[in-house]
Amino acid sequence: MSDWREFDQNPVSHSAAHHLTTIQWLLDDQGYARVSDVARHLGITRGSVSVTLKGLRQRGLVVEDDHKHLSLSVEGLRIARGIRTKRILIQALFREVLGVPDNVAEQDACKIEHLISDQTAEAAGGFLIGLEESSSDPQLAKVLQSLRMPPAAPSTNFPGVGTQKLALRLEKKDSHGEDPSS
Amino acid sequence: MSDWREFDQNPVSHSAAHHLTTIQWLLDDQGYARVSDVARHLGITRGSVSVTLKGLRQRGLVVEDDHKHLSLSVEGLRIARGIRTKRILIQALFREVLGVPDNVAEQDACKIEHLISDQTAEAAGGFLIGLEESSSDPQLAKVLQSLRMPPAAPSTNFPGVGTQKLALRLEKKDSHGEDPSS
DNA sequence: TCAACCTGTTTGGGTTACCAAACTCGTTGG
DNA sequence: CCAACGAGTTTGGTAACCCAAACAGGTTGA
């Protein structure tokens, strides 16, 4: 089993992920990105952004031109695009497949975007592509619809009875007394 | 859009989540749980566990009996079970539905177990239950199989061409110039 | 011109969560 | 009997984060 502390040994932290994706978003949106813009966008102080970006500059992920305008290095852009793509895929997976309301899917995706492995994200992408390709199949649509969360059940307590039973079944199947410390 | 810092404003932190689930696991496994057991299990020092558990005791999540044996309060147990259930459900979702290898699914599930909303976890549970119930349907099985990640493609770069294209499509559909700061 | 304003940086503080190391305490084997 | 050991705690250090506040520079409008 894997070390549970892999949690915070990711390429970039949650904070760094948002700094990077924000810079890119600002560039796309308004053509430039400065410390103040990033701070406003993230809802934190300029001082915090200044310090964080100093680190990201030293790590070669963020570049600052002679006019204090920020942009991403090739590596920074690669990371930002990866995280952004993961967020979009996870959000779509939760929304399209599980039937979770979009705003909830978005919140969840935002929290986990930088933690999901490439492999799982790619698998989610593949699944969604397949879904899209066979969206014309009424049989599939019907089946999937029946699996999705009923839109009128957002407030049920977690875990519901059926869900809890399923989890217990899965746990037994899966665990032969091993260590869940992962 | 939601505040991106909801990240660390969860009922319990990643660390606390693991302390709680570890205590319960030790109780189930060996009938008791002490600070040293938790420390060994998590791979951190006794001092760290001692300090963390002091906080969890003050928050009323962990109880210590007169023999320094740890257990969870009702609330602590509720939280621990919730997190454990979420991990199992997410792991199963990634494994059964997306076709991700079990160890990868486990790692990912471990990282995000304490971040996923109740609603999404419940939806995952509902989806898996539906899947289980219709597992006898050969048509469904075939369709799902076709959507799953090919087992022989674990090492492709992320994001793959198709995945990236999908993400771009999703992004456009979804965003009408809004703010991805979630 | 120069005060007001915006920008970016630095500094001191607070939180969480880890470590190493020193310390206490109870049990236990020679 | 007591040295040695394991268990638990405390303490000082580190590293990310965040904040507020003070500062330094550049623009700009009156």
Side-chain angles (χ1 to χ4, degrees):
Chain A
M1 82 232 74
S2 53
D3 185 346
W4 70 283
R5 280 172 301 170
E6 286 191 15
F7 175 73
D8 39 46
Q9 92 194 124
N10 287 282
V12 299
S13 67
H14 182 67
S15 171
H18 275 279
H19 280 75
L20 294 179
T21 56
T22 293
I23 289 173
Q24 193 54 42
W25 186 83
L26 288 167
L27 285 175
D28 292 345
D29 186 56
Q30 61 182 18
Y32 63 91
R34 299 165 304 170
V35 169
S36 290
D37 300 314
V38 175
R40 241 188 313 274
H41 194 270
L42 291 178
I44 61 181
T45 63
R46 296 183 312 242
S48 298
V49 172
S50 181
V51 171
T52 300
L53 289 186
K54 185 160 59 181
L56 292 177
R57 246 180 290 137
Q58 282 167 0
R59 287 168 59 187
L61 302 180
V62 170
V63 178
E64 195 182 76
D65 73 9
D66 41 353
H67 296 1
K68 298 279 189 184
H69 281 194
L70 304 164
S71 60
L72 302 183
S73 70
V74 173
E75 178 64 3
L77 185 59
R78 196 187 63 73
I79 292 175
R81 286 178 61 76
I83 291 169
R84 188 183 186 78
T85 300
K86 282 178 185 176
R87 179 166 54 75
I88 291 167
L89 293 173
I90 295 295
Q91 184 178 351
L93 178 74
F94 290 170
R95 177 167 32 87
E96 304 292 332
V97 179
L98 300 185
V100 172
D102 188 59
N103 60 322
V104 176
E106 185 191 342
Q107 269 184 35
D108 283 348
C110 169
K111 290 183 187 174
I112 69 182
E113 57 188 7
H114 67 299
L115 296 170
I116 289 292
S117 66
D118 289 357
Q119 210 171 336
T120 297
E122 189 66 35
F127 191 87
L128 290 166
I129 289 172
L131 218 58
E132 204 177 46
E133 283 172 353
S134 29
S135 62
S136 54
D137 181 349
Q139 180 93 25
L140 174 65
K142 194 177 163 188
V143 156
L144 275 177
Q145 185 54 42
S146 75
L147 295 176
R148 262 194 276 270
M149 178 184 217
S155 62
T156 41
N157 290 3
F158 176 82
V161 181
T163 306
Q164 186 59 57
K165 281 187 180 172
L166 170 68
L168 284 175
R169 277 201 303 282
L170 286 168
E171 193 169 7
K172 282 191 179 155
K173 194 196 306 181
D174 184 72
S175 102
H176 300 290
E178 76 233 49
D179 180 337
S181 78
S182 64
Chain B
M1 81 230 80
S2 54
D3 186 347
W4 70 282
R5 281 171 301 170
E6 284 190 20
F7 176 73
D8 38 46
Q9 105 194 112
N10 287 283
V12 299
S13 67
H14 182 67
S15 171
H18 275 278
H19 280 74
L20 294 178
T21 56
T22 293
I23 289 173
Q24 193 53 41
W25 186 83
L26 287 167
L27 284 175
D28 292 346
D29 186 54
Q30 62 181 19
Y32 63 92
R34 298 166 304 172
V35 168
S36 291
D37 300 315
V38 175
R40 242 189 314 277
H41 194 269
L42 290 178
I44 60 182
T45 64
R46 296 187 310 251
S48 299
V49 172
S50 180
V51 171
T52 299
L53 289 187
K54 186 161 58 180
L56 293 178
R57 248 182 287 135
Q58 283 167 358
R59 286 169 58 185
L61 302 180
V62 170
V63 178
E64 195 183 76
D65 74 8
D66 42 351
H67 297 359
K68 297 277 187 187
H69 281 193
L70 304 164
S71 60
L72 302 183
S73 69
V74 173
E75 178 64 5
L77 185 59
R78 196 188 61 75
I79 292 175
R81 285 178 62 74
I83 291 168
R84 189 182 183 78
T85 301
K86 283 179 185 178
R87 178 166 52 74
I88 291 166
L89 293 173
I90 295 295
Q91 184 178 350
L93 178 74
F94 290 170
R95 176 166 33 85
E96 304 293 332
V97 178
L98 299 185
V100 172
D102 188 60
N103 60 325
V104 176
E106 185 191 343
Q107 268 185 36
D108 283 349
C110 168
K111 289 182 187 176
I112 70 181
E113 59 187 6
H114 67 299
L115 296 171
I116 288 292
S117 66
D118 289 357
Q119 211 171 338
T120 297
E122 189 64 37
F127 191 89
L128 289 165
I129 289 172
L131 218 59
E132 204 176 46
E133 283 171 354
S134 26
S135 63
S136 53
D137 180 350
Q139 174 110 21
L140 174 64
K142 194 176 163 191
V143 163
L144 276 177
Q145 187 53 45
S146 76
L147 295 177
R148 263 195 275 270
M149 181 184 213
S155 62
T156 41
N157 289 2
F158 176 82
V161 181
T163 305
Q164 186 58 57
K165 281 186 181 174
L166 169 69
L168 284 176
R169 277 202 302 282
L170 287 168
E171 194 169 6
K172 282 192 180 160
K173 194 198 303 185
D174 188 70
S175 102
H176 299 291
E178 79 234 51
D179 180 335
S181 78
S182 64

